[in-house]
Amino acid sequence: MLNINGFKVNSVDYILIVDKEFTVTYNTRFDKRVNTDLSLIESEEYLNKNLFEIYPSIEKDANTSSIVRCITTGEIVVKKFQNFNDFNGNKYCTHNITIPLIHNGKIIGAVELVKDIKTIENITDDNYKLKYLEDFFIVNNASKSTFNSIITNDIKMLKAIEQAKTMSIIESPTLIYGETGTGKEIFVQAMINYSGISRDKVIIQNCAALPQNLIESILFGTSRGAYTGAENRRGLFDEADGGIIFLDELNSIPYDVQGKLLRVLQDGSFRPVGSNVQKKVNVKIIAAMNEDPLEAIKNQHLRKDLFYRLSSGMIFLPPLRERKGDILLFVNYYIKEYNVMYGKNVKGITKALENFFMNYHWEGNVRELKHIIESMVSLSDCEILDVQNLPAYMYDRIFNDGKANTNTETDKKIFINFEDYNLKKKLVEKEKEIIKEVLKITKGNKTRAGEILGIPRQTLKYKIDKLNIEQ
């Protein structure tokens, strides 16, 4: 039986797999091999189609989708009593456990385990209907993060923490930027907790996880008649009034919608889609992006005027390769964490593996390191992890990089500790070792030791002092 935070599932009815673009790559609900009642449905009707095409009711309010939430947060999501319709008009109610698919530290999709509860039309008990309230939680919820949760000894990161604390308690907007996996989400959650604002007034939205044509209506709401099927619906800014809204992947918001966002930043006002009525909100905006703001402006992913409005509260999180002092901190932390999770007894790593970690590029940053350590600890029975315990894909990435005829001897330098080949250092170490051994043989007699070593006693005495050799 699968048990996640008290939510028990002893079987599943269907499995749904989507990629990061929400393209359905597998769905047993419509697979004839699993569901024999769907003889008229062909695979091309659902495979390689967008999730919102297969389940159009989700598109109207993407925030209620466990799949969207999972790809947005990168965490395991559990949702009970999710109601939705498929493209044939069939209605469903399900319990879902949605697990992110992560490769090289990046989210590449999600797999959802689905348990059908009852079809909506079969529910007649009014008391049972009351249970159809949204029950949504995230396993290993980042909302518990505080500034004390941030693992670092890096000066730049420590300064970023102090800056984030200051920005947490003032109304000015904040923009956190850095590469994928550098810890932007943890910083944001720490800021939210530090601010003291109730979680009921916090809205989190990954803008890259939403269809471009829906972002404006999701953020600002809609008015009845704005477009076919549009109803009066509150937007996320309405929901966050008096609190905080976190907009992840800010550079994914269309240019024209960024202009509307700028207006909210300036005076707190906006108009829902299709409405002539101006609304006012008091919302603190925290935004994040994995692209350098100046590059985003150059690539027309970010409006220059929006950048200027956010520039007073910008926080940069450096990539892991630029804060190498943190790498082994994370290695030791995650080894301990996954020892407990998987019942292992890993005590450390070899020097060769340490050299690899210290010289690797870490394109996926801390997130990539975390998942590599999890893979190594969970699959290995060794007490000391070595290069051979690395995930198989790492070898292709290091030695081949998808290309034939790569010079593997050159690439293997990533495993080398160049200090081990410092000739001067090695000669000093060897000299010290020989002198200590000869002094041991002569029981400390320097005259006799000098004769064996072929050097004057005075020279030996000088070397003993210089090399700090204890007698």
Side-chain angles (χ1 to χ4, degrees):
M1 177 181 291
L2 183 61
N3 187 334
I4 298 182
N5 284 19
F7 181 49
K8 299 178 180 179
V9 176
N10 55 15
S11 66
V12 296
D13 293 315
Y14 302 106
I15 297 175
L16 170 66
I17 301 176
V18 302
D19 64 19
K20 65 179 181 179
E21 305 297 334
F22 298 98
T23 300
V24 176
T25 60
Y26 188 64
N27 190 349
T28 60
R29 183 180 293 281
F30 302 120
D31 192 326
K32 297 175 187 176
R33 295 169 296 180
V34 177
N35 192 345
T36 57
D37 295 333
L38 298 167
S39 57
L40 298 179
I41 296 180
E42 300 298 332
S43 61
E44 57 267 23
E45 293 188 62
Y46 63 90
L47 283 182
N48 300 319
K49 295 289 184 66
N50 189 275
L51 176 73
F52 303 112
E53 290 183 66
I54 306 302
Y55 301 111
S57 61
I58 293 177
E59 185 175 12
K60 295 180 180 178
D61 193 358
N63 289 306
T64 65
S65 167
S66 49
I67 285 278
V68 172
R69 185 67 65 92
C70 177
I71 293 179
T72 297
T73 64
E75 302 286 351
I76 297 175
V77 173
V78 174
K79 185 173 184 184
K80 294 188 280 186
F81 304 112
Q82 178 165 258
N83 302 324
F84 57 95
N85 302 338
D86 68 15
F87 63 102
N88 277 335
N90 298 309
K91 298 180 179 180
Y92 304 97
C93 180
T94 61
H95 288 343
N96 306 324
I97 297 175
T98 315
I99 303 168
L101 299 174
I102 299 176
H103 182 59
N104 294 354
K106 296 182 178 180
I107 300 171
I108 60 171
V111 56
E112 185 161 84
L113 308 180
V114 182
K115 181 73 175 177
D116 278 346
I117 306 305
K118 284 187 176 183
T119 56
I120 305 238
E121 47 271 273
N122 288 337
I123 298 172
T124 56
D125 185 346
D126 288 338
N127 290 327
Y128 192 80
K129 287 181 181 180
L130 292 176
K131 295 180 182 179
Y132 278 74
L133 298 173
E134 183 176 282
D135 190 347
F136 217 148
F137 64 88
I138 300 175
V139 180
N140 297 326
N141 200 331
S143 65
K144 297 177 182 178
S145 298
T146 67
F147 288 113
N148 291 331
S149 305
I150 300 173
I151 303 170
T152 187
N153 282 330
D154 183 76
I155 294 176
K156 291 181 181 178
M157 287 292 285
L158 292 172
K159 287 182 178 179
I161 289 173
E162 293 307 310
Q163 186 181 357
K165 286 180 178 179
T166 301
M167 297 303 300
S168 299
I169 55 179
I170 61 178
E171 294 183 356
S172 300
T174 304
L175 173 62
I176 301 176
Y177 70 99
E179 294 180 6
T180 297
T182 49
K184 297 185 292 295
E185 171 77 9
I186 293 176
F187 258 76
V188 171
Q189 296 292 355
M191 288 182 67
I192 292 169
N193 288 327
Y194 197 80
S195 72
I197 291 176
S198 169
R199 281 277 164 181
D200 294 337
K201 282 295 182 180
V202 174
I203 298 295
I204 296 175
Q205 180 59 60
N206 184 338
C207 302
L210 297 175
Q212 291 281 297
N213 62 330
L214 292 180
I215 290 180
E216 183 177 3
S217 60
I218 288 173
L219 292 178
F220 304 110
T222 57
S223 178
R224 184 189 297 273
Y227 52 82
T228 304
E231 299 291 336
N232 292 324
R233 187 185 297 276
R234 298 179 72 196
L236 296 184
F237 275 94
D238 263 336
E239 298 290 339
D241 190 17
I244 296 173
I245 185 167
F246 169 42
L247 301 176
D248 199 7
E249 304 294 354
L250 176 71
N251 47 329
S252 296
I253 297 180
Y255 237 53
D256 57 332
V257 181
Q258 287 186 28
K260 202 165 182 176
L261 177 60
L262 178 63
R263 182 68 181 272
V264 181
L265 283 167
Q266 290 173 338
D267 59 19
S269 65
F270 67 90
R271 290 180 181 177
V273 176
S275 174
N276 294 320
V277 179
Q278 198 84 355
K279 285 194 171 186
K280 268 278 198 183
V281 291
N282 178 24
V283 177
K284 177 180 175 63
I285 296 176
I286 302 177
M289 52 194 289
N290 57 16
E291 185 178 10
D292 182 277
L294 295 180
E295 283 296 312
I297 292 172
K298 181 180 177 181
N299 297 328
Q300 296 189 334
H301 297 157
L302 182 69
R303 289 176 62 114
K304 188 179 293 187
D305 48 6
L306 181 58
F307 164 74
Y308 291 143
R309 184 65 184 85
L310 294 167
S311 61
S312 62
M314 294 177 60
I315 299 174
F316 170 63
L317 303 187
L320 186 58
R321 60 185 170 275
E322 292 182 9
R323 44 187 174 114
K324 293 192 175 183
D326 285 348
I327 292 175
L328 295 183
L329 281 178
F330 283 112
V331 169
N332 293 329
Y333 176 84
Y334 288 124
I335 283 177
K336 291 177 182 178
E337 179 176 299
Y338 293 120
N339 271 342
V340 174
M341 182 178 294
Y342 294 105
K344 297 301 179 76
N345 187 34
V346 176
K347 296 179 179 178
I349 62 176
T350 63
K351 191 67 177 178
L353 184 58
E354 179 182 326
N355 294 334
F356 166 74
F357 284 152
M358 296 301 289
N359 290 284
Y360 185 59
H361 188 69
W362 295 116
E363 183 179 343
N365 291 289
V366 180
R367 184 182 295 136
E368 182 178 12
L369 174 58
K370 174 182 177 181
H371 291 293
I372 286 175
I373 296 297
E374 180 179 12
S375 172
M376 296 175 75
V377 171
S378 64
L379 296 176
S380 173
D381 292 323
C382 304
E383 288 191 349
I384 304 296
L385 298 175
D386 198 0
V387 174
Q388 64 192 26
N389 300 119
L390 285 167
Y393 80 86
M394 297 293 288
Y395 286 99
D396 293 334
R397 196 167 179 185
I398 297 162
F399 297 131
N400 299 321
D401 195 24
K403 302 174 184 177
N405 303 319
T406 298
N407 187 342
T408 57
E409 291 304 317
T410 300
D411 290 341
K412 285 179 182 178
K413 67 185 180 182
I414 199 169
F415 294 112
I416 296 173
N417 181 7
F418 292 105
E419 283 296 305
D420 292 340
Y421 297 90
N422 185 311
L423 185 59
K424 183 178 179 180
K425 180 179 177 182
K426 287 295 179 183
L427 288 174
V428 170
E429 290 175 354
K430 191 64 178 177
E431 183 179 31
K432 185 175 181 179
E433 179 186 335
I434 292 172
I435 291 174
K436 288 173 68 176
E437 185 66 25
V438 172
L439 285 170
K440 185 177 179 181
I441 292 171
T442 64
K443 299 182 179 179
N445 187 315
K446 297 183 182 63
T447 301
R448 178 62 181 146
E451 292 174 355
I452 295 173
L453 292 167
I455 59 176
R457 184 182 187 281
Q458 187 177 357
T459 302
L460 174 60
K461 179 66 169 62
Y462 168 76
K463 288 183 177 292
I464 289 172
D465 293 340
K466 181 181 179 181
L467 299 173
N468 295 316
I469 297 175
E470 296 181 1
Q471 300 179 59

